[in-house]
């Protein structure tokens, strides 16, 4: 199933995941959701509410249809309604660090993607009790969708250094220009991944501050690299291919030299009656 999902158009991923949920078991579906964590859904609130909008994903799912806010640790259902479940995150140290990450991540999200974008950070531990962080961004507008997901794992810190591992995933869909929406259903979509491991400097007395700075720099570099590849490599290449396909031929049709040689050979010529 995973190999099949990698071959479908990225824009069709949400519908395909919904269909897969009906035919595969829960364990397989959980694995697929971890492999393909995007696109996201946003839990939003009224302007006069004290809560901030946040991203709903498997990392903050506490019960069926209920998700934990990274800003207040309160649990909500889709649409901003109060949930009945309790948050599973009770580690005060992680909650405090999570709030610091979210404050920085919110500023980064607004700076790069605009005020309508939503960013969330969720912290936890791996099965081996190592640090695990999930950094998410969702932006939806008339021109398309952007979803980025960064899974950060951290080795146990050394005396002056620490190794970080970041797996970045970006799911983007670009809709047709407004002037062409009436006569085309074509869109351009991409699903890109990037893995990075780095050893960076830390100071034990300012460990949290160094973690925020180091992880932020790696995630930012991954996003810049993915955006650059989209803008400078993948989208221009797609445009060139589409222009070539749709371009009307000019002048007489050019025959491939090899095909011309084959067509002119005596093998394909009709022999005259009685000829030798």
């Amino acid at each position: 199933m995973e190999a099949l999902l990698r071959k479908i158009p990225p824009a069709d991923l949400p519908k395909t995941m919904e269909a897969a949920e009906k035919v595969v078991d829960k364990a397989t579906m959980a694995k697929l959701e971890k492999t393909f964590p995007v696109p996201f859904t946003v839990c939003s609130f009224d302007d006069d509410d004290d809560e901030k909008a946040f991203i709903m994903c498997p990392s903050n799912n506490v019960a069926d249809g209920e998700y934990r806010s990274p800003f207040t640790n309160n649990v909500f259902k889709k649409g901003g309604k109060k949930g009945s479940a309790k948050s599973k995150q009770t580690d005060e140290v992680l909650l405090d660090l999570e709030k610091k990450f979210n404050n920085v991540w919110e500023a980064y999200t607004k700076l790069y993607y605009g005020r309508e974008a939503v960013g969330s950070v969720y912290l936890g531990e791996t099965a081996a009790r190592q640090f695990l962080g999930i950094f998410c961004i969702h932006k939806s507008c008339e021109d398309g969708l952007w979803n980025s997901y960064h899974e950060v794992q951290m080795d146990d810190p050394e005396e002056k250094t620490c190794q970080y591992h970041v797996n970045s995933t970006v799911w983007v869909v670009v809709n047709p220009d407004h002037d062409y929406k009436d006569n085309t259903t074509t869109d351009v979509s991409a699903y890109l991944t990037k893995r990075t491991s780095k050893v960076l400097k830390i100071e034990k007395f300012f460990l949290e501050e160094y973690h925020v700075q180091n992880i932020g720099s790696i995630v930012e570099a991954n996003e810049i690299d993915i955006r650059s590849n989209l803008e400078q490599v993948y989208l221009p290449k797609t445009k060139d291919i589409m222009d070539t396909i749709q371009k009307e031929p000019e002048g007489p049709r050019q025959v491939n030299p090899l095909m011309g040689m084959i067509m002119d050979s005596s093998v394909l010529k009709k022999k005259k009656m009685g000829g030798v």
Side-chain angles (χ1 to χ4, degrees):
M1 180 63 74
E2 183 177 330
L4 177 62
L5 289 175
R6 292 189 183 279
K7 294 179 180 179
I8 66 168
D12 295 336
L13 183 60
K15 293 186 295 184
T16 308
M17 290 291 282
E18 288 180 8
E21 192 172 7
K22 299 176 182 178
V23 297
V24 302
D25 57 80
K26 289 186 177 181
T28 303
M29 194 64 205
K31 184 179 179 181
L32 290 176
E33 288 176 345
K34 185 175 181 180
T35 306
F36 301 93
V38 291
F40 300 124
T41 303
V42 173
C43 183
S44 55
F45 304 89
D46 295 332
D47 294 337
D48 57 350
D49 203 309
D50 293 335
E51 294 285 345
K52 292 182 178 180
F54 64 90
I55 291 173
M56 297 183 289
C57 64
S59 302
N60 67 323
N61 181 233
V62 297
D64 188 22
E66 298 188 6
Y67 298 83
R68 177 179 70 87
S69 168
F71 298 102
T72 61
N73 206 32
N74 294 328
V75 176
F76 296 92
K77 298 179 180 178
K78 293 181 180 179
K81 295 181 180 180
K82 195 78 173 180
S84 58
K86 292 185 178 180
S87 172
K88 297 178 181 179
Q89 180 57 279
T90 58
D91 189 318
E92 292 296 332
V93 175
L94 279 179
L95 284 172
D96 182 61
L97 183 59
E98 187 178 76
K99 289 179 181 179
K100 292 180 180 179
F101 269 114
N102 272 285
N103 290 333
V104 176
W105 191 243
E106 184 180 26
Y108 168 86
T109 301
K110 304 301 182 186
L111 177 65
Y112 273 94
Y113 298 96
R115 296 185 61 83
E116 67 272 21
V118 178
S120 298
V121 178
Y122 302 104
L123 303 185
E125 293 181 337
T126 65
R129 299 191 63 80
Q130 290 181 315
F131 174 91
L132 174 66
I134 305 298
F135 296 69
C136 313
I137 291 177
H138 171 86
K139 180 176 181 177
S140 176
C141 59
E142 192 174 6
D143 295 326
L145 292 168
W146 173 282
N147 290 266
S148 56
Y149 175 94
H150 308 274
E151 181 180 283
V152 180
Q153 293 191 34
M154 182 178 69
D155 294 346
D156 293 333
E158 302 290 340
E159 185 64 29
K160 294 185 177 181
T161 61
C162 183
Q163 185 166 24
Y164 304 89
H165 310 275
V166 180
N167 293 334
S168 299
T169 300
V170 168
W171 182 86
V172 59
V173 178
V174 180
N175 295 327
D177 190 84
H178 308 305
D179 297 334
Y180 301 98
K181 284 188 176 180
D182 293 336
N183 55 21
T184 182
T185 57
T186 302
D187 58 49
V188 177
S189 57
Y191 189 92
L192 304 174
T193 59
K194 179 180 175 63
R195 295 183 178 181
T196 303
S197 292
K198 279 189 176 182
V199 177
L200 297 176
K201 178 183 175 182
I202 59 169
E203 291 286 348
K204 290 263 179 121
F205 291 108
F206 305 98
L207 196 55
E208 289 187 358
E209 288 75 8
Y210 271 88
H211 285 332
V212 172
Q213 178 181 334
N214 291 342
I215 292 174
S217 65
I218 299 174
V219 169
E220 183 180 19
N222 276 11
E223 287 218 335
I224 290 174
D225 184 62
I226 291 175
R227 281 200 305 269
S228 297
N229 282 332
L230 275 171
E231 295 173 359
Q232 301 174 18
V233 180
Y234 297 112
L235 290 178
K237 186 64 176 178
T238 301
K239 181 180 181 299
D240 290 343
I241 293 172
M242 294 303 296
D243 287 345
T244 302
I245 293 173
Q246 297 177 348
K247 186 177 181 180
E248 295 182 1
E250 299 178 1
R253 185 178 179 182
Q254 299 296 318
V255 179
N256 185 296
L258 179 59
M259 288 300 297
M261 181 184 69
I262 295 174
M263 294 301 293
D264 289 334
S265 69
S266 58
V267 177
L268 299 180
K269 288 183 179 179
K270 197 173 183 179
K271 293 184 178 180
K272 295 181 180 179
M273 293 297 294
V276 179

